[in-house]
PDB file of all heavy atoms in Angstrom:
ATOM      1  N   TYR P 145       5.150 -26.532 -26.202  1.00  0.00           N
ATOM      2  CA  TYR P 145       5.100 -26.178 -27.615  1.00  0.00           C
ATOM      3  C   TYR P 145       6.425 -25.536 -28.016  1.00  0.00           C
ATOM      4  O   TYR P 145       7.027 -24.791 -27.233  1.00  0.00           O
ATOM      5  CB  TYR P 145       3.932 -25.207 -27.870  1.00  0.00           C
ATOM      6  CG  TYR P 145       2.616 -25.834 -27.488  1.00  0.00           C
ATOM      7  CD1 TYR P 145       2.173 -25.809 -26.159  1.00  0.00           C
ATOM      8  CD2 TYR P 145       1.844 -26.501 -28.430  1.00  0.00           C
ATOM      9  CE1 TYR P 145       0.994 -26.432 -25.794  1.00  0.00           C
ATOM     10  CE2 TYR P 145       0.663 -27.121 -28.065  1.00  0.00           C
ATOM     11  CZ  TYR P 145       0.248 -27.085 -26.746  1.00  0.00           C
ATOM     12  OH  TYR P 145      -0.921 -27.708 -26.389  1.00  0.00           O
ATOM     13  N   TYR P 149      10.854 -18.885 -35.200  1.00  0.00           N
ATOM     14  CA  TYR P 149      10.468 -17.592 -35.744  1.00  0.00           C
ATOM     15  C   TYR P 149      11.635 -17.048 -36.564  1.00  0.00           C
ATOM     16  O   TYR P 149      12.813 -17.259 -36.243  1.00  0.00           O
ATOM     17  CB  TYR P 149      10.141 -16.586 -34.640  1.00  0.00           C
ATOM     18  CG  TYR P 149       8.769 -16.732 -34.018  1.00  0.00           C
ATOM     19  CD1 TYR P 149       8.569 -17.547 -32.912  1.00  0.00           C
ATOM     20  CD2 TYR P 149       7.676 -16.025 -34.536  1.00  0.00           C
ATOM     21  CE1 TYR P 149       7.312 -17.663 -32.327  1.00  0.00           C
ATOM     22  CE2 TYR P 149       6.416 -16.145 -33.948  1.00  0.00           C
ATOM     23  CZ  TYR P 149       6.248 -16.959 -32.853  1.00  0.00           C
ATOM     24  OH  TYR P 149       5.007 -17.072 -32.281  1.00  0.00           O
ATOM     25  N   GLN P 151      13.273 -13.455 -38.099  1.00  0.00           N
ATOM     26  CA  GLN P 151      13.239 -11.996 -37.947  1.00  0.00           C
ATOM     27  C   GLN P 151      14.169 -11.360 -38.972  1.00  0.00           C
ATOM     28  O   GLN P 151      15.382 -11.310 -38.791  1.00  0.00           O
ATOM     29  CB  GLN P 151      13.646 -11.576 -36.533  1.00  0.00           C
ATOM     30  CG  GLN P 151      13.469 -10.086 -36.272  1.00  0.00           C
ATOM     31  CD  GLN P 151      13.846  -9.690 -34.857  1.00  0.00           C
ATOM     32  OE1 GLN P 151      14.829 -10.160 -34.302  1.00  0.00           O
ATOM     33  NE2 GLN P 151      13.049  -8.793 -34.257  1.00  0.00           N
ATOM     34  N   ARG P 155      12.549  -6.251 -38.581  1.00  0.00           N
ATOM     35  CA  ARG P 155      12.253  -6.512 -37.150  1.00  0.00           C
ATOM     36  C   ARG P 155      11.005  -7.367 -36.927  1.00  0.00           C
ATOM     37  O   ARG P 155      10.778  -7.828 -35.826  1.00  0.00           O
ATOM     38  CB  ARG P 155      12.082  -5.219 -36.341  1.00  0.00           C
ATOM     39  CG  ARG P 155      13.261  -4.359 -36.163  1.00  0.00           C
ATOM     40  CD  ARG P 155      13.070  -3.413 -34.978  1.00  0.00           C
ATOM     41  NE  ARG P 155      11.830  -2.666 -35.040  1.00  0.00           N
ATOM     42  CZ  ARG P 155      11.776  -1.357 -35.295  1.00  0.00           C
ATOM     43  NH1 ARG P 155      12.872  -0.689 -35.555  1.00  0.00           N
ATOM     44  NH2 ARG P 155      10.613  -0.724 -35.302  1.00  0.00           N
ATOM     45  N   GLN P 156      10.185  -7.541 -37.943  1.00  0.00           N
ATOM     46  CA  GLN P 156       8.948  -8.302 -37.756  1.00  0.00           C
ATOM     47  C   GLN P 156       9.271  -9.768 -37.518  1.00  0.00           C
ATOM     48  O   GLN P 156       9.898 -10.418 -38.340  1.00  0.00           O
ATOM     49  CB  GLN P 156       8.075  -8.175 -39.000  1.00  0.00           C
ATOM     50  CG  GLN P 156       6.750  -8.882 -38.902  1.00  0.00           C
ATOM     51  CD  GLN P 156       5.619  -7.932 -38.610  1.00  0.00           C
ATOM     52  OE1 GLN P 156       5.597  -6.819 -39.119  1.00  0.00           O
ATOM     53  NE2 GLN P 156       4.669  -8.354 -37.804  1.00  0.00           N
ATOM     54  N   MET P 157       8.810 -10.298 -36.409  1.00  0.00           N
ATOM     55  CA  MET P 157       8.989 -11.725 -36.106  1.00  0.00           C
ATOM     56  C   MET P 157       7.902 -12.502 -36.847  1.00  0.00           C
ATOM     57  O   MET P 157       6.718 -12.261 -36.646  1.00  0.00           O
ATOM     58  CB  MET P 157       8.845 -11.981 -34.604  1.00  0.00           C
ATOM     59  CG  MET P 157       9.927 -11.322 -33.771  1.00  0.00           C
ATOM     60  SD  MET P 157      11.422 -12.266 -33.780  1.00  0.00           S
ATOM     61  CE  MET P 157      11.052 -13.466 -32.527  1.00  0.00           C
ATOM     62  N   LEU P 159       6.330 -16.235 -37.848  1.00  0.00           N
ATOM     63  CA  LEU P 159       6.303 -17.647 -37.488  1.00  0.00           C
ATOM     64  C   LEU P 159       6.690 -18.491 -38.697  1.00  0.00           C
ATOM     65  O   LEU P 159       6.134 -18.340 -39.778  1.00  0.00           O
ATOM     66  CB  LEU P 159       4.914 -18.051 -37.017  1.00  0.00           C
ATOM     67  CG  LEU P 159       4.756 -19.528 -36.670  1.00  0.00           C
ATOM     68  CD1 LEU P 159       5.546 -19.879 -35.425  1.00  0.00           C
ATOM     69  CD2 LEU P 159       3.289 -19.892 -36.508  1.00  0.00           C
ATOM     70  N   ARG P 162       5.728 -24.607 -36.124  1.00  0.00           N
ATOM     71  CA  ARG P 162       5.466 -24.925 -34.733  1.00  0.00           C
ATOM     72  C   ARG P 162       5.323 -26.423 -34.565  1.00  0.00           C
ATOM     73  O   ARG P 162       4.989 -27.142 -35.503  1.00  0.00           O
ATOM     74  CB  ARG P 162       4.203 -24.233 -34.230  1.00  0.00           C
ATOM     75  CG  ARG P 162       2.943 -24.582 -35.005  1.00  0.00           C
ATOM     76  CD  ARG P 162       1.715 -23.968 -34.378  1.00  0.00           C
ATOM     77  NE  ARG P 162       1.236 -24.790 -33.274  1.00  0.00           N
ATOM     78  CZ  ARG P 162       0.327 -24.371 -32.399  1.00  0.00           C
ATOM     79  NH1 ARG P 162      -0.183 -23.159 -32.483  1.00  0.00           N
ATOM     80  NH2 ARG P 162      -0.076 -25.175 -31.443  1.00  0.00           N
ATOM     81  N   PHE P 203      14.960 -17.551 -34.576  1.00  0.00           N
ATOM     82  CA  PHE P 203      14.848 -17.775 -33.143  1.00  0.00           C
ATOM     83  C   PHE P 203      14.024 -19.021 -32.863  1.00  0.00           C
ATOM     84  O   PHE P 203      12.940 -19.200 -33.415  1.00  0.00           O
ATOM     85  CB  PHE P 203      14.178 -16.578 -32.460  1.00  0.00           C
ATOM     86  CG  PHE P 203      15.003 -15.334 -32.453  1.00  0.00           C
ATOM     87  CD1 PHE P 203      14.858 -14.389 -33.460  1.00  0.00           C
ATOM     88  CD2 PHE P 203      15.926 -15.102 -31.443  1.00  0.00           C
ATOM     89  CE1 PHE P 203      15.619 -13.232 -33.462  1.00  0.00           C
ATOM     90  CE2 PHE P 203      16.693 -13.952 -31.434  1.00  0.00           C
ATOM     91  CZ  PHE P 203      16.542 -13.017 -32.451  1.00  0.00           C
ATOM     92  N   ARG P 207       7.237 -22.712 -25.372  1.00  0.00           N
ATOM     93  CA  ARG P 207       6.123 -22.228 -24.568  1.00  0.00           C
ATOM     94  C   ARG P 207       5.611 -23.365 -23.701  1.00  0.00           C
ATOM     95  O   ARG P 207       5.169 -24.396 -24.204  1.00  0.00           O
ATOM     96  CB  ARG P 207       4.991 -21.661 -25.406  1.00  0.00           C
ATOM     97  CG  ARG P 207       3.858 -21.139 -24.506  1.00  0.00           C
ATOM     98  CD  ARG P 207       2.820 -20.376 -25.245  1.00  0.00           C
ATOM     99  NE  ARG P 207       1.791 -19.916 -24.305  1.00  0.00           N
ATOM    100  CZ  ARG P 207       0.776 -19.140 -24.620  1.00  0.00           C
ATOM    101  NH1 ARG P 207       0.638 -18.711 -25.850  1.00  0.00           N
ATOM    102  NH2 ARG P 207      -0.108 -18.788 -23.717  1.00  0.00           N
ATOM    103  N   VAL P 209       2.906 -25.122 -21.200  1.00  0.00           N
ATOM    104  CA  VAL P 209       1.448 -25.083 -21.109  1.00  0.00           C
ATOM    105  C   VAL P 209       1.004 -24.360 -19.841  1.00  0.00           C
ATOM    106  O   VAL P 209      -0.161 -24.037 -19.670  1.00  0.00           O
ATOM    107  CB  VAL P 209       0.832 -26.496 -21.129  1.00  0.00           C
ATOM    108  CG1 VAL P 209       1.107 -27.172 -22.454  1.00  0.00           C
ATOM    109  CG2 VAL P 209       1.324 -27.334 -19.970  1.00  0.00           C
ATOM    110  N   ASP P 212       2.575 -18.068 -19.934  1.00  0.00           N
ATOM    111  CA  ASP P 212       1.991 -17.248 -20.986  1.00  0.00           C
ATOM    112  C   ASP P 212       2.984 -16.828 -22.057  1.00  0.00           C
ATOM    113  O   ASP P 212       2.661 -16.753 -23.231  1.00  0.00           O
ATOM    114  CB  ASP P 212       1.362 -15.995 -20.349  1.00  0.00           C
ATOM    115  CG  ASP P 212       0.356 -16.363 -19.273  1.00  0.00           C
ATOM    116  OD1 ASP P 212      -0.545 -17.165 -19.573  1.00  0.00           O
ATOM    117  OD2 ASP P 212       0.486 -15.850 -18.145  1.00  0.00           O
ATOM    118  N   GLY P 213       4.189 -16.503 -21.630  1.00  0.00           N
ATOM    119  CA  GLY P 213       5.162 -15.976 -22.569  1.00  0.00           C
ATOM    120  C   GLY P 213       6.018 -17.054 -23.199  1.00  0.00           C
ATOM    121  O   GLY P 213       6.087 -18.189 -22.733  1.00  0.00           O
ATOM    122  N   LEU P 214       6.669 -16.679 -24.273  1.00  0.00           N
ATOM    123  CA  LEU P 214       7.623 -17.551 -24.938  1.00  0.00           C
ATOM    124  C   LEU P 214       9.008 -17.336 -24.348  1.00  0.00           C
ATOM    125  O   LEU P 214       9.367 -16.218 -23.987  1.00  0.00           O
ATOM    126  CB  LEU P 214       7.673 -17.225 -26.432  1.00  0.00           C
ATOM    127  CG  LEU P 214       6.393 -17.463 -27.238  1.00  0.00           C
ATOM    128  CD1 LEU P 214       6.505 -16.829 -28.613  1.00  0.00           C
ATOM    129  CD2 LEU P 214       6.114 -18.937 -27.356  1.00  0.00           C
TER     130      LEU P 214
ATOM    131  N   SER N  50       7.279   3.724 -34.572  1.00  0.00           N
ATOM    132  CA  SER N  50       8.242   2.747 -35.060  1.00  0.00           C
ATOM    133  C   SER N  50       9.596   2.929 -34.377  1.00  0.00           C
ATOM    134  O   SER N  50      10.273   1.956 -34.048  1.00  0.00           O
ATOM    135  CB  SER N  50       8.381   2.904 -36.577  1.00  0.00           C
ATOM    136  OG  SER N  50       9.328   1.988 -37.074  1.00  0.00           O
ATOM    137  N   TYR N  74       0.674  -9.716 -25.728  1.00  0.00           N
ATOM    138  CA  TYR N  74       1.936  -9.936 -25.030  1.00  0.00           C
ATOM    139  C   TYR N  74       2.915  -8.820 -25.372  1.00  0.00           C
ATOM    140  O   TYR N  74       2.959  -8.352 -26.502  1.00  0.00           O
ATOM    141  CB  TYR N  74       2.575 -11.265 -25.489  1.00  0.00           C
ATOM    142  CG  TYR N  74       1.642 -12.449 -25.522  1.00  0.00           C
ATOM    143  CD1 TYR N  74       0.757 -12.630 -26.583  1.00  0.00           C
ATOM    144  CD2 TYR N  74       1.651 -13.400 -24.506  1.00  0.00           C
ATOM    145  CE1 TYR N  74      -0.105 -13.719 -26.632  1.00  0.00           C
ATOM    146  CE2 TYR N  74       0.802 -14.501 -24.545  1.00  0.00           C
ATOM    147  CZ  TYR N  74      -0.078 -14.648 -25.603  1.00  0.00           C
ATOM    148  OH  TYR N  74      -0.920 -15.726 -25.649  1.00  0.00           O
ATOM    149  N   TYR N  76       7.125  -7.978 -25.231  1.00  0.00           N
ATOM    150  CA  TYR N  76       8.482  -8.511 -25.094  1.00  0.00           C
ATOM    151  C   TYR N  76       9.477  -7.365 -25.286  1.00  0.00           C
ATOM    152  O   TYR N  76       9.171  -6.363 -25.921  1.00  0.00           O
ATOM    153  CB  TYR N  76       8.771  -9.573 -26.175  1.00  0.00           C
ATOM    154  CG  TYR N  76       7.978 -10.848 -26.056  1.00  0.00           C
ATOM    155  CD1 TYR N  76       6.695 -10.943 -26.597  1.00  0.00           C
ATOM    156  CD2 TYR N  76       8.515 -11.970 -25.432  1.00  0.00           C
ATOM    157  CE1 TYR N  76       5.964 -12.120 -26.498  1.00  0.00           C
ATOM    158  CE2 TYR N  76       7.798 -13.157 -25.333  1.00  0.00           C
ATOM    159  CZ  TYR N  76       6.525 -13.212 -25.871  1.00  0.00           C
ATOM    160  OH  TYR N  76       5.805 -14.380 -25.776  1.00  0.00           O
ATOM    161  N   GLN N  78      13.505  -6.748 -26.627  1.00  0.00           N
ATOM    162  CA  GLN N  78      14.634  -7.364 -27.327  1.00  0.00           C
ATOM    163  C   GLN N  78      15.823  -6.423 -27.234  1.00  0.00           C
ATOM    164  O   GLN N  78      15.795  -5.322 -27.776  1.00  0.00           O
ATOM    165  CB  GLN N  78      14.287  -7.645 -28.786  1.00  0.00           C
ATOM    166  CG  GLN N  78      15.381  -8.377 -29.550  1.00  0.00           C
ATOM    167  CD  GLN N  78      14.950  -8.750 -30.959  1.00  0.00           C
ATOM    168  OE1 GLN N  78      14.078  -8.118 -31.556  1.00  0.00           O
ATOM    169  NE2 GLN N  78      15.552  -9.793 -31.511  1.00  0.00           N
ATOM    170  N   PHE N  86      10.275 -11.884 -22.165  1.00  0.00           N
ATOM    171  CA  PHE N  86       8.839 -11.729 -21.992  1.00  0.00           C
ATOM    172  C   PHE N  86       8.567 -10.757 -20.848  1.00  0.00           C
ATOM    173  O   PHE N  86       9.147 -10.899 -19.768  1.00  0.00           O
ATOM    174  CB  PHE N  86       8.211 -13.088 -21.715  1.00  0.00           C
ATOM    175  CG  PHE N  86       6.786 -13.040 -21.244  1.00  0.00           C
ATOM    176  CD1 PHE N  86       5.781 -12.566 -22.086  1.00  0.00           C
ATOM    177  CD2 PHE N  86       6.439 -13.452 -19.973  1.00  0.00           C
ATOM    178  CE1 PHE N  86       4.465 -12.523 -21.667  1.00  0.00           C
ATOM    179  CE2 PHE N  86       5.121 -13.422 -19.545  1.00  0.00           C
ATOM    180  CZ  PHE N  86       4.136 -12.951 -20.390  1.00  0.00           C
ATOM    181  N   TYR N  89       1.596 -10.212 -20.081  1.00  0.00           N
ATOM    182  CA  TYR N  89       0.551 -10.830 -20.890  1.00  0.00           C
ATOM    183  C   TYR N  89      -0.797 -10.292 -20.432  1.00  0.00           C
ATOM    184  O   TYR N  89      -1.041 -10.152 -19.235  1.00  0.00           O
ATOM    185  CB  TYR N  89       0.648 -12.341 -20.719  1.00  0.00           C
ATOM    186  CG  TYR N  89      -0.632 -13.125 -20.871  1.00  0.00           C
ATOM    187  CD1 TYR N  89      -1.198 -13.338 -22.123  1.00  0.00           C
ATOM    188  CD2 TYR N  89      -1.259 -13.693 -19.762  1.00  0.00           C
ATOM    189  CE1 TYR N  89      -2.357 -14.086 -22.261  1.00  0.00           C
ATOM    190  CE2 TYR N  89      -2.416 -14.441 -19.899  1.00  0.00           C
ATOM    191  CZ  TYR N  89      -2.964 -14.639 -21.145  1.00  0.00           C
ATOM    192  OH  TYR N  89      -4.104 -15.384 -21.282  1.00  0.00           O
ATOM    193  N   THR N 141      -3.852 -21.283 -20.456  1.00  0.00           N
ATOM    194  CA  THR N 141      -2.671 -22.032 -20.078  1.00  0.00           C
ATOM    195  C   THR N 141      -2.423 -23.193 -21.020  1.00  0.00           C
ATOM    196  O   THR N 141      -1.521 -23.972 -20.805  1.00  0.00           O
ATOM    197  CB  THR N 141      -2.801 -22.565 -18.641  1.00  0.00           C
ATOM    198  OG1 THR N 141      -3.995 -23.339 -18.562  1.00  0.00           O
ATOM    199  CG2 THR N 141      -2.866 -21.417 -17.651  1.00  0.00           C
ATOM    200  N   GLY N 142      -3.245 -23.306 -22.050  1.00  0.00           N
ATOM    201  CA  GLY N 142      -3.068 -24.430 -22.967  1.00  0.00           C
ATOM    202  C   GLY N 142      -1.836 -24.301 -23.828  1.00  0.00           C
ATOM    203  O   GLY N 142      -1.268 -25.288 -24.258  1.00  0.00           O
ATOM    204  N   GLY N 143      -1.441 -23.074 -24.112  1.00  0.00           N
ATOM    205  CA  GLY N 143      -0.237 -22.876 -24.904  1.00  0.00           C
ATOM    206  C   GLY N 143      -0.389 -23.239 -26.356  1.00  0.00           C
ATOM    207  O   GLY N 143       0.580 -23.259 -27.099  1.00  0.00           O
ATOM    208  N   ARG N 144      -1.603 -23.512 -26.782  1.00  0.00           N
ATOM    209  CA  ARG N 144      -1.756 -23.967 -28.159  1.00  0.00           C
ATOM    210  C   ARG N 144      -1.729 -22.827 -29.151  1.00  0.00           C
ATOM    211  O   ARG N 144      -1.435 -23.011 -30.306  1.00  0.00           O
ATOM    212  CB  ARG N 144      -3.078 -24.726 -28.305  1.00  0.00           C
ATOM    213  CG  ARG N 144      -3.072 -26.102 -27.681  1.00  0.00           C
ATOM    214  CD  ARG N 144      -4.409 -26.782 -27.868  1.00  0.00           C
ATOM    215  NE  ARG N 144      -5.437 -26.191 -27.031  1.00  0.00           N
ATOM    216  CZ  ARG N 144      -5.627 -26.533 -25.780  1.00  0.00           C
ATOM    217  NH1 ARG N 144      -4.865 -27.427 -25.213  1.00  0.00           N
ATOM    218  NH2 ARG N 144      -6.592 -25.970 -25.071  1.00  0.00           N
ATOM    219  N   THR N 146      -0.808 -19.678 -31.291  1.00  0.00           N
ATOM    220  CA  THR N 146       0.403 -19.100 -31.838  1.00  0.00           C
ATOM    221  C   THR N 146       0.373 -17.594 -31.665  1.00  0.00           C
ATOM    222  O   THR N 146      -0.649 -16.960 -31.878  1.00  0.00           O
ATOM    223  CB  THR N 146       0.529 -19.457 -33.321  1.00  0.00           C
ATOM    224  OG1 THR N 146       0.639 -20.877 -33.431  1.00  0.00           O
ATOM    225  CG2 THR N 146       1.754 -18.800 -33.933  1.00  0.00           C
ATOM    226  N   GLN N 147       1.512 -17.038 -31.293  1.00  0.00           N
ATOM    227  CA  GLN N 147       1.624 -15.596 -31.119  1.00  0.00           C
ATOM    228  C   GLN N 147       2.122 -14.951 -32.413  1.00  0.00           C
ATOM    229  O   GLN N 147       3.097 -15.416 -33.004  1.00  0.00           O
ATOM    230  CB  GLN N 147       2.584 -15.283 -29.968  1.00  0.00           C
ATOM    231  CG  GLN N 147       2.071 -15.815 -28.640  1.00  0.00           C
ATOM    232  CD  GLN N 147       2.994 -15.513 -27.476  1.00  0.00           C
ATOM    233  OE1 GLN N 147       3.798 -14.582 -27.523  1.00  0.00           O
ATOM    234  NE2 GLN N 147       2.891 -16.302 -26.426  1.00  0.00           N
ATOM    235  N   PHE N 149       3.480 -11.446 -34.107  1.00  0.00           N
ATOM    236  CA  PHE N 149       4.202 -10.275 -33.638  1.00  0.00           C
ATOM    237  C   PHE N 149       4.008  -9.052 -34.521  1.00  0.00           C
ATOM    238  O   PHE N 149       3.803  -9.160 -35.739  1.00  0.00           O
ATOM    239  CB  PHE N 149       5.705 -10.581 -33.571  1.00  0.00           C
ATOM    240  CG  PHE N 149       6.092 -11.425 -32.397  1.00  0.00           C
ATOM    241  CD1 PHE N 149       5.895 -12.802 -32.423  1.00  0.00           C
ATOM    242  CD2 PHE N 149       6.620 -10.848 -31.257  1.00  0.00           C
ATOM    243  CE1 PHE N 149       6.246 -13.591 -31.330  1.00  0.00           C
ATOM    244  CE2 PHE N 149       6.977 -11.624 -30.166  1.00  0.00           C
ATOM    245  CZ  PHE N 149       6.781 -12.989 -30.204  1.00  0.00           C
ATOM    246  N   PRO N 151       5.832  -5.169 -35.661  1.00  0.00           N
ATOM    247  CA  PRO N 151       7.168  -4.794 -36.127  1.00  0.00           C
ATOM    248  C   PRO N 151       8.050  -4.190 -35.042  1.00  0.00           C
ATOM    249  O   PRO N 151       9.233  -3.965 -35.258  1.00  0.00           O
ATOM    250  CB  PRO N 151       6.881  -3.766 -37.226  1.00  0.00           C
ATOM    251  CG  PRO N 151       5.578  -3.164 -36.827  1.00  0.00           C
ATOM    252  CD  PRO N 151       4.797  -4.252 -36.159  1.00  0.00           C
ATOM    253  N   GLY N 152       7.477  -3.911 -33.880  1.00  0.00           N
ATOM    254  CA  GLY N 152       8.284  -3.413 -32.775  1.00  0.00           C
ATOM    255  C   GLY N 152       8.461  -1.898 -32.780  1.00  0.00           C
ATOM    256  O   GLY N 152       8.255  -1.217 -33.790  1.00  0.00           O
TER     257      GLY N 152
END
Side-chain angles (χ1 to χ4, degrees):
Chain P
Y145 300 84
Y149 281 90
Q151 187 179 41
R155 293 200 308 251
Q156 182 102 38
M157 295 280 278
L159 178 68
R162 59 175 278 167
F203 291 93
R207 181 171 180 175
V209 296
D212 305 307
L214 296 168
Chain N
S50 179
Y74 313 79
Y76 293 85
Q78 184 175 25
F86 168 65
Y89 151 74
T141 56
R144 286 180 288 276
T146 297
Q147 297 180 23
F149 284 79

